[in-house]
Amino acid sequence: MARSQRLHWIKYHINESKKNNIDVFSYEDRVKGKNVIRTYIYDIEQEYVIILEPQRSELDYFLLTAYYLNEPGGKKQIENKRKKKLTEVY
């Protein structure tokens, strides 16, 4: 049930159907000892996050995950990433 609650919002946000209270930003995550740039679509009002990773061609993205920020510390973690976001969206 939780997975279905996360997935239904993805297309809605990627198609930019919602215009306000959305923050799209890129952040350099540390994954398995390497720095990896990931793009976040953060719905501030609904506390929902979609994480994308640019393909090597930089023309498309891989969908990594999408979830609600209902876990302890989840919102704080996203807010910290927003503060340290990259100047350009990849």
Side-chain angles (χ1 to χ4, degrees), residues 24-84:
V24 179
F25 63 94
S26 292
Y27 178 80
E28 194 168 2
D29 281 315
R30 190 83 175 155
V31 179
K32 296 182 183 177
K34 294 183 180 181
N35 291 336
V36 178
I37 295 176
R38 292 186 169 162
T39 299
Y40 291 77
I41 301 172
Y42 177 37
D43 184 333
I44 300 164
E45 182 180 358
Q46 297 295 321
E47 296 184 349
Y48 184 75
V49 177
I50 301 168
I51 303 176
L52 307 167
E53 190 172 301
Q55 290 184 348
R56 288 185 186 165
S57 67
E58 297 181 2
L59 300 175
D60 292 311
Y61 292 92
F62 292 109
L63 172 65
L64 297 180
T65 191
Y67 56 91
Y68 283 101
L69 297 173
N70 55 2
E71 296 293 323
K75 188 172 180 180
K76 183 178 179 181
Q77 184 181 21
I78 292 298
E79 292 297 333
N80 287 338
K81 288 182 181 192
R82 286 178 70 199
K83 289 177 188 174
K84 299 175 185 177

